[in-house]
Amino acid sequence: MNIIDGKKVSARVKSEVREEAAVLGQKGISVGLAVVIVGDNPASRVYVNNKKKACAEVGFESYEYALPAETTQDELLALVKKLNDDKKVNGILVQLPLPKHIDENAIINAISPDKDVDAFHPTNVGHIMIGDFSFLPCTPAGVMELIAETGIDVCGKNCVVIGRSNIVGKPMAMLLLHKNGTVTMTHSRTKDLASVTSQADILVAAVGKAGFVTADMIKPGAVVIDVGMNRNAEGKLCGDVDFDGCCEKAGYITPVPGGVGPMTIAMLMRNTLTAAKIQNGCKD
Ligand code: GUN
């Protein structure tokens, strides 16, 4: 069993981004990310703080907009429009979930696709589907980096994704497919899930249920990637995979915390750098 160290891989990605940002800085170009949070979801607050911290680490400016939970959809749309027009802001990230009275799709659709560093806008989702994308879907792209770290080539492998969200499951399947994996998407209505997952050379769990993937569901030697970020009864952060039960059987496995989480943020930094380069006409 080998543990894939997301902290190490994310540090490498961030140091590459920092070097490139410094080169832009020498040309008088600064990189800026606007982070918008509405309401006081504690998990969102932690994510937003981590994103701002990462900006500081790589030498980006970050601009936080913390709005009260009662913010109307129109007020949020007005802020997004203002940020779309703000030259200092290269990337816009609106932390999800939004309060129930705000239509998330309406907000995502209002973000300029050139500043959509989450790659959530339908234009960018379409680019990902086609395979000619500039912005990486952050979490799935982070997973691809972790798989690459194992040295295992995705080409021809049986890849199974559990979960079909727009943020993780669907773009994850696309990235694996672009690398010529044989991809199966599974979800809550999949029949006999364990019989599917136990065929997986590469298993990506993005379910949102603590300890959902148990040892009987994995193939011996599989690469097991855990996208889950759950709190157990004691409030401890834990993944979708029963790590202790699976770690001996898996060939490679990611821990939670310290696996996929840090990668998502590193990829967000990479996207923000890409946005700044494109907006300043210096994309190679
Ligand atoms: N909420 C959970 N994950 C994400 C993410 O990757 N981006 C945004 N904007 N919100 C999230």
Side-chain angles (χ1 to χ4, degrees):
M1 177 266 301
N2 297 288
I3 295 176
I4 313 173
D5 184 349
K7 280 195 202 148
K8 186 183 89 183
V9 184
S10 73
R12 191 175 65 220
V13 172
K14 282 189 286 187
S15 82
E16 288 162 12
V17 171
R18 184 170 55 237
E19 278 173 29
E20 285 200 57
V23 173
L24 289 184
Q26 283 158 10
K27 297 180 187 161
I29 299 168
S30 69
V31 183
L33 175 68
V35 184
V36 181
I37 176 169
V38 184
D40 45 16
N41 179 321
S44 291
R45 177 34 72 195
V46 173
Y47 296 144
V48 163
N49 288 349
N50 288 342
K51 287 167 187 176
K52 281 167 40 191
K53 195 169 135 237
C55 282
E57 276 171 41
V58 300
F60 296 173
E61 297 296 328
S62 65
Y63 309 101
E64 179 180 313
Y65 294 83
L67 308 180
E70 315 74 68
T71 302
T72 66
Q73 182 163 318
D74 284 347
E75 285 167 340
L76 186 55
L77 285 170
L79 173 61
V80 168
K81 184 172 181 328
K82 187 179 93 145
L83 297 172
N84 282 341
D85 295 338
D86 186 339
K87 291 256 177 312
K88 293 193 305 300
V89 171
N90 303 109
I92 302 170
L93 180 136
V94 179
Q95 187 66 32
L96 303 180
L98 290 168
K100 295 238 175 327
H101 64 276
I102 299 179
D103 175 1
E104 282 182 359
N105 284 337
I107 304 302
I108 290 169
N109 290 349
I111 297 172
S112 165
D114 301 337
K115 295 190 176 185
D116 168 39
V117 285
D118 266 322
F120 289 169
H121 189 284
T123 297
N124 291 322
V125 173
H127 282 300
I128 291 162
M129 180 118 187
I130 293 163
D132 74 340
F133 48 97
S134 318
F135 292 139
L136 307 160
C138 298
T139 299
V143 171
M144 295 306 285
E145 292 279 338
L146 294 176
I147 295 171
E149 186 70 9
T150 67
I152 290 172
D153 186 0
V154 173
C155 182
K157 296 291 186 305
N158 284 342
C159 305
V160 175
V161 180
I162 317 178
R164 54 174 154 181
S165 69
N166 290 333
I167 297 184
V168 184
K170 289 182 199 168
M172 187 72 249
M174 284 301 131
L175 297 195
L176 291 164
L177 193 57
H178 292 325
K179 291 284 181 199
N180 301 310
T182 302
V183 184
T184 306
M185 293 196 70
T186 67
H187 45 79
S188 54
R189 311 287 168 88
T190 298
K191 290 195 187 112
D192 196 2
L193 181 64
S195 74
V196 183
T197 57
S198 56
Q199 302 294 312
D201 303 307
I202 299 172
L203 179 63
V204 181
V207 192
K209 285 189 188 151
F212 182 84
V213 174
T214 45
D216 57 301
M217 295 169 72
I218 68 172
K219 181 176 172 178
V223 177
V224 178
I225 308 282
D226 190 348
V227 184
M229 286 273 192
N230 314 296
R231 298 264 164 200
N232 68 9
E234 293 89 53
K236 188 171 157 265
L237 194 63
C238 54
D240 290 344
V241 177
D242 168 19
F243 183 90
D244 292 340
C246 292
C247 65
E248 289 305 325
K249 193 173 177 187
Y252 294 86
I253 190 164
T254 62
V256 177
V260 175
M263 293 306 299
T264 299
I265 296 184
M267 294 302 157
L268 176 70
M269 297 300 112
R270 192 175 265 175
N271 279 348
T272 307
L273 178 77
T274 301
K277 283 183 173 172
I278 294 173
Q279 288 158 33
N280 286 284
C282 43
K283 181 84 178 99
D284 31 60

